[in-house]
Amino acid sequence: MAMMPGATNRLLANQARQGLMKSYDAAVLHTMVGSLAGTDSMFQEGGTVGTESHFGIGEHGEIYQWVDTKYTADANYLGSGHVISIETADYGGSFGRWNTAGDNVPYWNAAQITAIVKILIWVHETHGIPLTATKSVTEKGVGYHAQGVPGNELPNSLRGTKYQWSKYAGKVCPGKKRISQIPEIVRLAQGGATSSGSSPTPKKEGILGMTKYSGGKIYRAVQNLVKNKWRSLYVGKGSMSILTCDGSPYLAQVYLTVTGLKPDETIQVRFITASYKSGTTTKNNGYYAKQEQHGSAGGTYISHTQIGKTGKGKNGRSNRLRVQVWTDSKTAKITSIQTKFMKG
Ligand SMILES: [Zn+2]
């Protein structure tokens, strides 16, 4: 038996009809295009007949274990006997309803990132999967589905081998936004591990070691936006700083309420770091990846998450984490902003 402590036991019927794992080469991240409840009922219906994954992560970071990790799960086609598969929720609830044709999967939120980190540490300690973000399907470590998909990242020469992770060409799973989060998630997992294996020496940092938490400061002031211009937002009265950077890792989240954004208009959100010193001009010195969203009737709600690590400022200046928005709308306004962070 290999069951992860803390995971909810949702083992599918007839586990043993799955073959035993042949090796533990990688932990592979997937996206559901659905919710945890929907995916669970689909998997439970057929038991282990059909496709299934070892783990599932919900919108709020719930972890389901569907298959004992001594057995294979079928989510990775010819690679299923060699990788641990992790499905993640991405649709409905706080993710909203997005256009599933194309590469529009939203970012993993903070609760999901924490859950992924826990699973990665467990599979590392239990099965020796390295805590390294892989650059290609043949490396051992933490990968993602599209690496083994024909017509996507799978080299043609590897078709028909254990590296072919999908029967179908062109799958983008888990989407470019989630793929961009993987290196940071792996770094956080490195910090939370208690044994090293073949990975870098663990340091006491990362999500599991984060001790400082600021939960949900809400600022309700109307903030006008300027068309086609990035603007830093106030997150409190007279203050744009979410946190002061000191070289330790952080995970920050922002929730925005936007009015006046029409369905054919766009808003983009990103975190930045700014170098601040009282009495001098503030300089923006680092930009994180932006998230884009379209307007919707009756108000637009945006959730954006970032993990990062920024050093202390020098020469009396300090580095501050801020949030910026851009829009092509003339009428969009921010009516509330909530920020949360973990740091440690
Ligand atoms: Zn997938």
Side-chain angles (χ1 to χ4, degrees), residues 28-32 75-76 86-87 144-146 149 165 171-174:
V28 177
L29 289 154
H30 294 260
T31 204
M32 290 173 181
N76 283 69
I86 305 166
E87 275 287 0
Y144 54 89
H145 198 181
V149 172
W165 286 349
K171 274 174 92 82
V172 298
C173 176

Side-chain angles (χ1 to χ4, degrees), residues 222-285:
V222 175
Q223 302 190 56
N224 294 316
L225 302 171
V226 182
K227 189 184 171 187
N228 295 343
K229 228 180 144 176
W230 282 101
R231 241 191 110 117
S232 295
L233 296 178
Y234 286 95
V235 299
K237 200 169 182 338
S239 167
M240 290 179 168
S241 294
I242 298 166
L243 60 91
T244 301
C245 306
D246 58 9
S248 55
Y250 50 79
L251 188 156
Q253 266 188 302
V254 61
Y255 301 93
L256 297 173
T257 309
V258 187
T259 57
L261 188 71
K262 297 171 188 131
D264 59 340
E265 293 174 338
T266 300
I267 193 161
Q268 298 180 348
V269 186
R270 68 181 179 191
F271 287 94
I272 68 159
T273 52
S275 169
Y276 172 86
K277 186 183 180 183
S278 176
T280 70
T281 308
T282 299
K283 288 177 251 172
N284 296 341
N285 56 11

Side-chain angles (χ1 to χ4, degrees), residues 55-343:
F55 292 100
I57 296 175
E59 175 196 352
H60 307 292
E62 317 91 303
I63 300 174
Y64 282 7
Q65 185 165 354
W66 285 306
V67 178
D68 184 319
T69 56
K70 81 175 175 185
Y71 299 119
T72 65
D74 297 329
N76 283 69
Y77 190 45
L78 301 178
S80 296
H82 304 275
V83 308
I84 297 296
S85 43
I86 305 166
E87 275 287 0
T88 56
D90 58 11
Y91 195 83
S94 62
F95 297 118
R97 296 172 179 280
W98 41 275
N99 180 359
T100 58
D103 197 345
N104 301 312
V105 183
Y107 288 98
W108 283 306
N109 64 35
Q112 291 183 302
I113 289 169
T114 309
I116 295 169
V117 166
K118 286 180 188 164
I119 294 175
L120 294 181
I121 291 169
W122 184 78
V123 296
H124 169 66
E125 293 179 344
T126 308
H127 298 301
I129 294 174
L131 291 175
T132 313
T134 60
K135 293 191 185 66
S136 82
V137 69
T138 56
E139 285 178 34
K140 295 191 178 186
V142 180
Y144 54 89
H145 198 181
Q147 289 176 315
V149 172
N152 198 325
E153 294 184 38
L154 181 74
N156 282 334
S157 60
L158 295 178
R159 286 188 191 215
T161 71
K162 69 170 181 175
Y163 298 113
Q164 184 174 346
W165 286 349
S166 175
K167 210 185 273 191
Y168 307 103
K171 274 174 92 82
V172 298
C173 176
K176 59 181 187 296
K177 288 180 184 160
R178 292 185 171 196
I179 291 169
S180 76
Q181 292 177 290
I182 293 172
E184 283 296 324
I185 290 172
V186 171
R187 205 183 53 70
L188 288 161
Q190 288 168 0
T194 55
S195 71
S196 65
S198 53
S199 295
T201 315
K203 283 166 277 176
K204 190 67 191 156
E205 61 168 42
I207 285 179
L208 301 180
M210 286 185 181
T211 49
K212 294 179 205 101
Y213 178 70
S214 157
K217 197 168 64 155
I218 304 176
Y219 183 54
R220 286 196 184 85
V222 175
Q223 302 190 56
N224 294 316
L225 302 171
V226 182
K227 189 184 171 187
N228 295 343
K229 228 180 144 176
W230 282 101
R231 241 191 110 117
S232 295
L233 296 178
Y234 286 95
V235 299
K237 200 169 182 338
S239 167
M240 290 179 168
S241 294
I242 298 166
L243 60 91
T244 301
C245 306
D246 58 9
S248 55
Y250 50 79
L251 188 156
Q253 266 188 302
V254 61
Y255 301 93
L256 297 173
T257 309
V258 187
T259 57
L261 188 71
K262 297 171 188 131
D264 59 340
E265 293 174 338
T266 300
I267 193 161
Q268 298 180 348
V269 186
R270 68 181 179 191
F271 287 94
I272 68 159
T273 52
S275 169
Y276 172 86
K277 186 183 180 183
S278 176
T280 70
T281 308
T282 299
K283 288 177 251 172
N284 296 341
N285 56 11
Y287 302 90
Y288 286 109
K290 64 194 182 194
Q291 175 181 340
E292 182 176 288
Q293 196 161 318
H294 293 291
S296 48
T300 305
Y301 304 90
I302 301 170
S303 160
H304 184 48
T305 306
Q306 183 69 50
I307 29 194
K309 184 177 174 175
T310 305
K312 271 188 201 151
K314 290 189 181 107
N315 305 322
R317 305 188 70 84
S318 75
N319 288 326
R320 309 283 180 91
L321 188 72
R322 295 181 167 195
V323 65
Q324 287 194 323
V325 297
W326 178 99
T327 183
D328 58 6
S329 166
K330 273 189 201 164
T331 50
K333 289 177 173 51
I334 306 292
T335 55
S336 88
I337 177 167
Q338 180 176 17
T339 51
K340 293 185 184 187
F341 70 83
M342 283 196 284
K343 195 173 120 178

Side-chain angles (χ1 to χ4, degrees), residues 26-50:
V28 177
L29 289 154
H30 294 260
T31 204
M32 290 173 181
V33 193
S35 66
L36 182 65
T39 303
D40 183 55
S41 65
M42 188 177 85
F43 285 175
Q44 296 294 347
E45 202 171 317
T48 51
V49 178

